[in-house]
Every structure is written in C-alpha cells, then in structure tokens.
C-alpha cells in the first residue's frame, strides 16, 4: 500500500469544489440542492440536500467511471491489496449478485455453505446456477451456525470437480471464519473460482490482529460492507476483483444490470472518506476496539445469566478463527428468551443491539464504540440478571434447529414454477417457492427448491411464538409452494 497515494480523497475534493461553485441546478434530483419544508430538513438540516447530486459534470459517473470515482476506487484497491475495486450503492447484496452473475451461467455448479445470506439465493435465481450445498458446523449450545472445515470442503470439491466456483463466508454474522487460504488454494488447484462474502469483515484490511482477509488469502472476488464495520454510510459497499480470470466485460455487464443509474453521491463520498480514515487511523482505533472487547468480556462474564463466547469457544465449535469485534453473549438461566431481552434492552434501557437468537445476543463493536456505550450495556445486563436470573431453569431441546432442509430442484426452477399458497403448517413435504427467514441475520430457514420438513415447520412456529421478525414473500402465516401437479401438467422442467 502506498501511503503517500492514500493521503488523497479525490471524490471528496471534487465534491467540495462543486459545492463552492454554487451552481444553479436544472437537473435531477428535483429539490435542486435546496431544503424544502417537509420535516426532513428539520431533522438533518439543509446540508443534506446540498450534497445530494445525480452525477453532474465534474463528479464522474458510477456506471462508467473514468474520473474522480475511478481514482477513488483505485485507492480502495491499493488499500486492500486487490487488483480492482468497484463502489456499490446497494450494499453487499449488489456485490454478491454481481459476483454470481459475472462468473456463472445457467446450470453451472457452485459449491456453497447453506448458511449464506438471502442475497446469495436471489443471485442463484437470477443467474440460474445449480447450488451444491455444504452443511456448516452448528454450535448446539447457542444454536449458532458456524463454519465448514477444510476437510469438508476438500471432500465436496473432490465430489464435484465440474463445479465452476465455490462461495465462502468470511466472517459469518457472528464472527466465525474458515481456513481461507487452505480452502482457496485447494479450490484453485481444481480450477474453481473463489467468491467471498466479506460483508462483515471490511475492518480486517486495516488491522492484522483480526483474521486474514479474502484478498490476502488469494480469493478471486470479495464484497465488503464498509458501512457495517468501516464507518461509511449505510448501503455503501465495495466489490474487490483480484483475478485475471474474472472478465471485465462480464463484471461491467452484471454491475450495470444490478446498479441504479441514480446513485447517491453521499454514499460514494463516504466510501472515499472511510478508506482515508481507516488507512491512517483504523489500526489505532481497532486496537481500542479489541481493548473494549476484553473489557466487555471480563465484566459480562461476571454477570449471572450471561456468558461471552469468544475465540476459544468458536474454535471448539467449527471455526478456524474469530472476529473479536463481535460480542456474542450466550444467555444462561434467564427467564427471558433472547428476543425478549432484545426488546427489553431497547424499551427500558435505550440500548439497541444488533440481533437476538433464542439463547444469544449479538452486539457489534466498531470504530464508533466507546467505553461509555459498553457501560450502559453492562448496567442493563446486570439489572436484567438481578430481575430475571433463575438457577432452576432448564431449557427445552430444540433439536429441529440442528439441520437444514433437502433440495428438490435449483432455486431458479422453483422461482418460475406454478404457485400454490398454503398455511405454513400445511406445507409438509411441499417444495418451497418462498424464502422464509428471521431478519436479521437474513439466513433462510428454507429457500426456493427445498422441501418443507417437520423441523422447518417447527422452527417457523417457534419463531412466531417468540415474536421474532420473520420475512417471507407472503407474510402472515402463508407460504408459497410449488404446485407440483400443475408443474407436471405444463411440463415445465427447466428455466
């Protein structure tokens, strides 16, 4: 990385210049950089309008960058050690879609862990690839889905030598990483591309005390949600391209298929600013985050009913390494579920955590976290422990969380197949057209093409009873399934 080069913010400087010119606007957006009395400017001020442009002359064009956006993207590539970088304004969802669409054609195989984000399944629907799912390790004490071992990857790669690519998660939502370099090297030996969802690991690139990065390990493409852990605005992400095997034309074609023609310039500016900050101040700030993690680990582990699960625990349950910016708190002997504690923390203590599972709370520590923030969380957990700890509690055996459903057909086939709408309790043995999940984290319980089982129905039932936020295409208690009788009648077998 060239630090002298990195001390530039080309897009930010161009934005400042444009603002100083006080141009009279007759282009979109329609507010013409003037605050309007609609209540929005009362919250954010008129400056938010001043900075909202749609690719005017001098600020480049995201779809065909050849000016300051391209310069800013090159700086991101240099900072991360990748060959190329592309800015994304629709989150890592768009990065994942672009990776899949640029590398895979219909019916080509891709090997991937079943705990992928919903965007990956949507990408399979769009490109028509055939997934070969590999089942990750499941931590039975927390019901967290972790990683896939190198031995498992080697076995399934050897069984599917005709696969075009593999897809890795680095890290998972809860911070677990796999043996990236070993898996990537083996996949490359078998002439497979390696695509990586690195949405939750953009900070890895700026402090080597964190797990290794996808690019350093040799991945062909990776997508980073800089907004999650790198300080940019929500929705702003970066796609990294690190291989000559990735065709520029295919990437551009997929990029323009997925990306809006009206990108928000503030997202792009925040990516330029976040990169500069992380290059020059990220290491020091992330060292402080690790110190805060240790502070939280020590204090929370002294509260009855709560246990921080760190690197040692994750490595014992299927992870190769662990991201210590993820504060994973297991619930023990508390008369509330994780979902209830999630709501209580917000309603009573004004503490907003990232997510809850039945027996787990997840808090994200980042460059925006300070000791006083953790002190509020620790106080709240102590108070909850005082009121709800019960040493006599025994937990039910939710064995139905320990597996994923089997595939009947590829997601694209199910997506296009004839629809039948049923109550989820009546969906047993039906092929799903729906994607049902709790959000966050957005890992589907069932995806299009999989078969509803007793365990899937029990999971949905359990989450509904616990008032978890369930996302599906139909809402309420209904799900979409494939009308197999109609499908056979129409002879629709391939799309």
């Amino acid at each position: 990385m060239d630090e002298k080069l990195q001390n530039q913010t080309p897009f930010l400087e161009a934005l400042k210049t444009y603002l100083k010119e006080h141009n009279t606007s007759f282009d979109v957006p329609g507010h013409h950089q003037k605050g309007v009395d609609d209540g929005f400017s009362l919250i954010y001020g008129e400056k938010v309008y001043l900075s909202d442009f749609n690719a005017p002359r001098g600020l480049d064009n995201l779809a065909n960058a050849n000016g300051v956006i391209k310069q800013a993207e090159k700086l991101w590539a240099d900072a991360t050690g990748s060959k190329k970088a592309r800015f994304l304004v629709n989150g890592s969802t768009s990065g994942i879609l672009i990776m899949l669409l640029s590398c895979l054609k219909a019916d080509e195989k891709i090997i991937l862990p079943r705990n992928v984000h919903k965007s990956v399944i949507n990408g399979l629907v769009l490109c028509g690839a055939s997934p070969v799912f590999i089942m990750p390790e499941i931590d039975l004490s927390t019901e967290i889905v972790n990683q896939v071992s190198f031995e498992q990857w080697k076995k399934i790669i050897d069984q599917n030598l005709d696969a075009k690519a593999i897809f890795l998660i680095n890290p998972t939502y809860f911070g677990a990483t796999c043996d990236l370099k070993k898996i990537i090297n083996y996949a490359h030996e078998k002439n497979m591309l390696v695509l990586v969802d690195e949405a939750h690991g953009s900070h890895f690139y700026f402090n080597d005390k964190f797990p290794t990065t996808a690019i350093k390990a040799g991945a062909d493409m990776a997508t980073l949600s800089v907004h999650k852990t790198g300080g940019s605005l929500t929705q702003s992400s970066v796609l990294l391209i690190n291989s000559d095997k990735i065709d520029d034309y295919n990437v551009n074609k997929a990029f323009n298929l997925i990306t809006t023609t009206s990108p928000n310039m503030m997202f792009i500016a925040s990516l330029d600013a976040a990169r500069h900050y992380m290059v020059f101040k990220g290491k020091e700030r992330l060292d402080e985050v690790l110190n805060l993690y240790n502070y939280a680990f020590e204090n929370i582990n002294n509260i009855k009913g709560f246990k921080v699960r760190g690197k040692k625990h994750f490595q014992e349950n299927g992870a190769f390494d662990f991201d210590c910016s993820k504060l994973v708190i297991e619930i023990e002997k508390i008369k509330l579920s994780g979902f209830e504690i999630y709501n209580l923390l917000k309603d009573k203590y004004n503490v907003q955590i990232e997510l809850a599972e039945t027996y787990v709370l997840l808090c994200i520590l980042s460059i925006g976290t300070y000791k006083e923030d953790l002190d509020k969380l620790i106080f709240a957990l102590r108070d909850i422990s005082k009121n709800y700890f019960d040493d006599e509690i025994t937990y039910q055996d939710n064995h139905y969380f320990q597996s994923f459903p089997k595939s009947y057909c590829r997601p694209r086939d199910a997506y296009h197949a004839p629809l039948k709408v049923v109550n989820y309790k009546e969906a047993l043995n039906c092929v799903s057209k729906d994607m049902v999940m709790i959000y966050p984290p957005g890992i589907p319980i069932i995806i299009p093409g999989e078969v509803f089982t007793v365990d899937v129905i029990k999971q949905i039932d359990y989450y509904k009873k616990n008032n978890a936020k369930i996302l599906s295409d139909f809402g309420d208690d209904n799900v979409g399934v494939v009308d197999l009788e109609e499908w056979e009648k129409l002879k629709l077998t391939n799309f």
Side-chain angles (χ1 to χ4, degrees), residues 174-235:
F174 291 92
T177 65
C178 58
D179 194 347
L180 266 183
K181 189 163 183 60
K182 207 168 178 182
I183 296 167
I184 290 170
N185 286 345
Y186 194 75
H188 282 164
E189 283 177 23
K190 304 302 179 182
N191 297 313
M192 296 180 191
L193 295 171
V194 181
L195 314 177
V196 183
D197 175 356
E198 209 162 22
H200 292 271
S202 67
H203 56 298
F204 290 3
Y205 288 85
F206 303 100
N207 189 310
D208 59 13
K209 292 176 185 174
F210 288 86
T212 194
T213 68
I215 298 304
K216 188 175 182 180
D220 297 289
M221 297 179 86
T223 186
L224 315 179
S225 289
V226 183
H227 66 94
K228 284 184 168 70
T229 60
S232 65
L233 291 176
T234 294
Q235 279 185 236

Side-chain angles (χ1 to χ4, degrees), residues 121-375:
I121 308 304
N122 288 333
L124 295 176
V125 170
L126 288 172
C127 72
S130 295
V132 177
F133 287 117
I134 181 170
M135 298 305 159
E137 297 289 334
I138 297 177
D139 178 351
L140 300 183
S141 66
T142 60
E143 295 176 356
I144 290 175
V145 180
N146 281 335
Q147 280 287 357
V148 179
S149 68
F150 169 73
E151 289 72 25
Q152 289 173 285
W153 273 109
K154 182 178 183 298
K155 181 179 179 181
I156 201 161
I157 288 171
D158 289 342
Q159 291 171 346
N160 295 274
L161 292 174
D162 57 340
K164 180 75 178 292
I166 71 169
F167 188 95
L168 302 173
I169 306 169
N170 184 66
T172 66
Y173 210 128
F174 291 92
T177 65
C178 58
D179 194 347
L180 266 183
K181 189 163 183 60
K182 207 168 178 182
I183 296 167
I184 290 170
N185 286 345
Y186 194 75
H188 282 164
E189 283 177 23
K190 304 302 179 182
N191 297 313
M192 296 180 191
L193 295 171
V194 181
L195 314 177
V196 183
D197 175 356
E198 209 162 22
H200 292 271
S202 67
H203 56 298
F204 290 3
Y205 288 85
F206 303 100
N207 189 310
D208 59 13
K209 292 176 185 174
F210 288 86
T212 194
T213 68
I215 298 304
K216 188 175 182 180
D220 297 289
M221 297 179 86
T223 186
L224 315 179
S225 289
V226 183
H227 66 94
K228 284 184 168 70
T229 60
S232 65
L233 291 176
T234 294
Q235 279 185 236
S236 55
S237 297
V238 174
L239 176 66
L240 303 178
I241 301 130
N242 194 45
S243 172
D244 294 330
K245 295 178 181 178
I246 307 296
D247 188 274
D248 282 345
Y249 172 74
N250 287 337
V251 173
N252 290 337
K253 188 168 62 172
F255 184 91
N256 289 318
L257 180 68
I258 295 301
T259 305
T260 176
T261 55
S262 302
N264 191 309
M265 293 285 143
M266 287 185 284
F267 294 167
I268 297 169
S270 76
L271 285 170
D272 200 18
R275 185 264 317 154
H276 186 271
Y277 177 89
M278 292 300 281
V279 165
F280 291 101
K281 297 181 180 178
K283 184 182 182 302
E284 178 185 353
R285 189 69 191 93
L286 289 168
D287 279 342
E288 294 171 5
V289 168
L290 291 174
N291 290 334
L292 289 172
Y293 176 86
N294 292 331
Y295 174 76
F297 189 97
E298 181 180 343
N299 280 272
I300 294 172
N301 282 344
N302 286 323
I303 302 173
K304 285 184 177 181
F306 298 102
K307 189 79 173 177
V308 176
R309 294 303 187 183
K311 184 173 180 176
K312 182 175 182 292
H313 177 86
F314 273 82
Q315 288 180 323
E316 290 172 349
N317 287 276
F320 176 76
D321 203 351
F322 177 70
D323 172 13
C324 288
S325 73
K326 308 297 188 290
L327 189 61
V328 181
I329 306 169
E330 184 176 352
I331 302 160
E332 299 177 324
K333 307 292 185 181
I334 296 288
K335 292 186 288 187
L336 299 171
S337 71
F339 305 111
E340 291 170 315
I341 295 173
Y342 174 94
N343 291 327
L344 184 61
L345 283 168
K346 173 61 175 66
D347 295 342
K348 183 175 180 180
Y349 305 97
N350 293 328
V351 171
Q352 178 66 62
I353 65 171
E354 176 64 14
L355 66 80
E357 294 278 2
T358 310
Y359 305 120
V360 169
L361 308 173
L362 174 64
C363 301
I364 306 295
L365 308 187
S366 71
I367 58 173
T369 306
Y370 293 90
K371 182 177 176 292
E372 53 265 34
D373 303 319
L374 281 173
D375 286 338

Side-chain angles (χ1 to χ4, degrees), residues 19 24 31 61 113 130 268 281 295 367-368 390 396 409 446:
L19 288 170
T24 299
H31 55 66
N61 188 296
S130 295
I268 297 169
K281 297 181 180 178
Y295 174 76
I367 58 173
D390 183 352
Q396 65 187 71
C409 62
I446 190 167

